[in-house]
Amino acid sequence: MKRTVRTALPLVASLASAALLLTACGEGAKGSAGSGGSGGPVKVGLITKTDTNPFFVKMKEGAEAAAKKSGAELSTAAGKFDGDNEGQVTAIENMVAAGVKGILITPNDSKAIVPAIQQARKKGVLVIALDSPTDPQDAADALFATDNLKAGELIGRYAKAATAGKPAKIATLDLAPGVAVGQLRHDGFLKGYGIKEGDPALVCSQDTGGDQAKGQTAMENCLQKAPDINVVYTINEPAALGAYTALKAKGREKDVLIVSVDGGCTGTEAVKSGRIAATSQQYPLLMAVKGVDAVVAYAKGGTKASGYVDTGVTLITDTPTSAVPAKDSAYGLENCWG
């Protein structure tokens, strides 16, 4: 999913033919990790959706730190824009040709990337999806990610408790059709709130792409449709801040509960200031660290990561309820990204 969301600046070199960015680190530690037969360092690839989104910048930061610690050699690439599947395909091909033992990828297109992943795996490359699953999920060897259904459920349970039994008029500001991360968060919110799709409490749903300006427009549209909205779920914090701006323009910012997902530093600051009531914080750096460690373990001993690894999520709020365990914004700011 797009994260603007939903963080340490990368070392980059341009690959014009791929419209990608490719870099390497850990060159000073050759030989310390073993590469499964070549005698050099383990080569690890990281491919993110973009190289500008703070979420993915933080992910790269984690991968670089883990590679340096283990003596691995890290190559990184990113799509030119969110949704750039062709660029990610080229990055996989380039990394396989360069002899990587494993590739960590946040897929721009969960289905379209599968053939390239299958080709890499046939050549013995371990492929781990980070943050966003492939479709089908087992197209990659493993998935290291936030439990996005749980993340949505946490804020749904919180919102239900925080409204204290008042009749709800809910707007959902979602991601985009067909994107697994966005759907899981949306479904989790409904589950946590205790309602189903089509419930009369759901008075408006709009897609935002996780963008702040689009979040503002979506909220404006929802307020035109249902002026009495009192609960707003957003796919991420930029969308939440857009919603807040629209609500403030109508003088409604203090009587509408806004909940979100991501836990970036800007969003966590918004929790601290009261603009967002609560957010579910996720940990992109940990995804990458675990991913690099898994590739090194595979290169050294043949141990192959498999299945789903939950990298954790925490509800962050300064107005907790008894319905769901939470940490305050001080904790959130110590563990945020961006």
Side-chain angles (χ1 to χ4, degrees):
M1 78 165 256
K2 179 176 180 180
R3 309 225 177 240
T4 56
V5 223
R6 308 38 285 262
T7 37
L9 294 176
L11 300 170
V12 251
S14 176
L15 277 178
S17 63
L20 298 173
L21 301 170
L22 190 61
T23 64
C25 71
E27 296 176 357
K30 292 183 178 180
S32 59
S35 63
S38 69
V42 175
K43 293 182 179 181
V44 184
L46 171 68
I47 305 171
T48 53
K49 292 183 179 181
T50 69
D51 69 334
T52 55
N53 186 308
F55 186 89
F56 300 124
V57 173
K58 194 66 174 181
M59 186 176 281
K60 181 176 178 180
E61 211 179 83
E64 288 174 337
K68 182 177 181 180
K69 182 178 179 180
S70 65
E73 180 182 309
L74 179 71
S75 296
T76 66
K80 195 173 182 180
F81 53 87
D82 199 323
D84 180 13
N85 180 69
E86 182 179 347
Q88 290 195 321
V89 169
T90 303
I92 290 174
E93 293 170 348
N94 289 341
M95 288 179 177
V96 171
V100 297
K101 294 296 293 183
I103 293 173
L104 315 174
I105 183 169
T106 59
N108 265 322
D109 189 315
S110 297
K111 288 185 177 180
I113 198 65
V114 167
I117 289 176
Q118 289 174 334
Q119 288 301 313
R121 292 179 69 189
K122 285 179 182 178
K123 295 181 179 180
V125 176
L126 178 70
V127 180
I128 299 174
L130 303 183
D131 180 54
S132 302
T134 53
D135 185 4
Q137 185 173 309
D138 62 4
D141 289 288
L143 169 65
F144 292 4
T146 304
D147 183 338
N148 282 290
L149 186 71
K150 180 181 178 181
E153 187 175 354
L154 285 174
I155 57 170
R157 288 168 56 197
Y158 172 84
K160 179 70 171 180
T163 53
K166 296 177 183 177
K169 299 290 184 180
I170 302 170
T172 68
L173 304 192
D174 299 305
L175 186 58
V179 181
V181 170
Q183 191 63 52
L184 286 167
R185 293 182 184 184
H186 175 96
D187 292 349
F189 171 79
L190 298 187
K191 180 181 178 182
Y193 205 91
I195 57 177
K196 295 182 178 180
E197 205 68 62
D199 191 287
L202 292 171
V203 296
C204 186
S205 292
Q206 295 265 308
D207 293 329
T208 68
D211 178 79
Q212 184 164 340
K214 291 179 181 178
Q216 181 176 343
T217 300
M219 191 72 250
E220 289 167 351
N221 292 340
C222 283
L223 287 170
Q224 287 182 355
K225 181 180 179 182
D228 56 348
I229 286 167
N230 57 8
V231 176
V232 178
Y233 152 82
T234 67
I235 180 63
N236 64 14
E237 293 136 5
L241 290 171
Y244 178 85
T245 300
L247 288 164
K248 187 174 182 180
K250 294 290 186 179
R252 298 287 317 283
E253 76 276 13
K254 293 183 179 179
D255 62 343
V256 176
L257 184 81
I258 302 175
V259 294
S260 193
V261 179
D262 257 359
C265 295
T266 299
T268 307
E269 285 283 2
V271 172
K272 182 178 180 180
S273 67
R275 289 171 291 167
I276 300 174
T279 193
S280 287
Q281 185 172 69
Q282 54 181 340
Y283 305 103
L285 187 147
L286 184 59
M287 296 176 196
V289 168
K290 286 181 175 290
V292 171
D293 290 347
V295 174
V296 171
Y298 171 60
K300 284 185 172 182
T303 303
K304 183 177 285 190
S306 63
Y308 170 62
V309 175
D310 184 355
T311 53
V313 62
T314 305
L315 184 75
I316 303 296
T317 183
D318 285 335
T319 53
T321 73
S322 60
V324 55
K327 299 286 188 180
D328 62 15
S329 63
Y331 176 92
L333 289 170
E334 288 176 359
N335 293 278
C336 66
W337 42 270

